[in-house]
Amino acid sequence: MKKHWLISLWMLTSLGCMGRATHPSSGLLPEGARLVDLTYDFDEKTLYWPTSPSGFELKQLSHGMTAGGYFYASNTLCAPEHGGTHLDAPIHFAEGKMTAEQLPLERLIAPAVVIDISADAAKEPDALLQPSHVEAFEKEHGRIEPGTIVLVRTGWGRFWPDRKQYLGDDTPGDASKLHFPGISREAAEALVERQAAAVGIDTASIDHGPSKDFIAHQVLMKANTPAFENVAAMEKLPTRGALIVALPMKVRGGSGGPLRIVAVLPPA
């Protein structure tokens, strides 16, 4: 892992004005570092689980000139916790575990690795990340260190926001015929063993579409490991070296919520 540039980033953000920016919008990033947005827009096309009672709603309250002579815009928004790019807090599948606001920042901001199973997923829509994938990754790229955010790339982002392609079925209110890749029980156990800070995937669930028991959720969340689902643009990430910043809405008691997740990439 390219720790040297991550340490440099920490030093620059800690020392304030001593950091050199590549351009005004880059803030205090090390020269040559880049930002990648891994978040889908929340709008009327945002995908939610088939049994979700509603989707994302944005309603306009005000939009125009006021009596005081200035422009003013304001909206209300309403959405289920689990849809679009979002967080699954451990309480989602593990009683007594952490809720959204209880997650320490160290689980949300951390170095990342990307395990790519897109070749398998291209052959089998219900493909699963297996321990063999994790072991092969470590043989080539080094051991996954404790405190790492593990991202699983399946290539499914290419189907967003086509409901039928992305979920494998578009029957309203029916989640029994879904098909998309996910994470096996054994792989989830392997990531818990490695003390992953969090686990993310570019599909609608860390469990694959046909799952009935959501065992990957159960395993990870019993270990207080949060998950990020519907992560966008994962093809833009390196196998190692990215710093992930995944900040959900801080909802007290929440089982999850909308997530703004970005990656800070090291200089090329």
Side-chain angles (χ1 to χ4, degrees), residues 7-195:
I7 294 171
S8 297
L9 174 60
W10 176 83
M11 290 177 64
L12 287 170
T13 55
S14 298
L15 295 176
C17 63
M18 293 181 66
R20 179 183 176 189
T22 56
H23 53 78
S25 64
S26 65
L28 297 176
L29 295 181
E31 186 170 4
R34 294 164 291 140
L35 293 172
V36 176
D37 194 343
L38 304 176
T39 314
Y40 291 115
D41 292 345
F42 281 86
D43 57 23
E44 68 282 357
K45 296 180 181 178
T46 299
L47 298 182
Y48 285 81
W49 203 248
T51 55
S52 178
S54 63
F56 181 81
E57 298 177 26
L58 187 71
K59 295 183 180 180
Q60 187 178 101
L61 294 177
S62 301
H63 190 95
M65 297 302 294
T66 68
Y70 56 86
F71 177 83
Y72 178 74
S74 178
N75 306 293
T76 62
L77 59 87
C78 181
E81 290 176 315
H82 301 278
T85 305
H86 70 280
L87 163 79
D88 280 3
I91 189 67
H92 188 36
F93 273 85
E95 185 177 6
K97 298 302 182 180
M98 286 188 287
T99 52
E101 87 286 1
Q102 294 173 333
L103 286 168
L105 291 177
E106 291 80 6
R107 285 193 175 271
L108 304 174
I109 304 174
V113 299
V114 179
I115 303 178
D116 192 335
I117 65 167
S118 58
D120 288 356
K123 299 173 186 176
E124 170 51 64
D126 297 326
L128 288 166
L129 177 76
Q130 301 287 357
S132 58
H133 293 113
V134 178
E135 292 161 5
F137 174 91
E138 292 186 319
K139 184 175 181 180
E140 183 174 356
H141 302 287
R143 186 153 179 91
I144 298 170
E145 299 174 355
T148 299
I149 292 176
V150 178
L151 300 176
V152 180
R153 180 175 180 263
T154 71
W156 235 242
R158 68 187 184 276
F159 297 130
W160 183 277
D162 185 313
R163 177 175 295 275
K164 188 167 186 177
Q165 289 268 60
Y166 192 77
L167 297 178
D169 183 68
D170 61 354
T171 306
D174 184 0
S176 67
K177 296 177 284 188
L178 305 184
H179 294 281
F180 52 80
I183 298 172
S184 71
R185 175 181 192 148
E186 295 77 12
E189 291 171 343
L191 297 180
V192 169
E193 178 186 336
R194 286 158 176 77
Q195 301 177 51

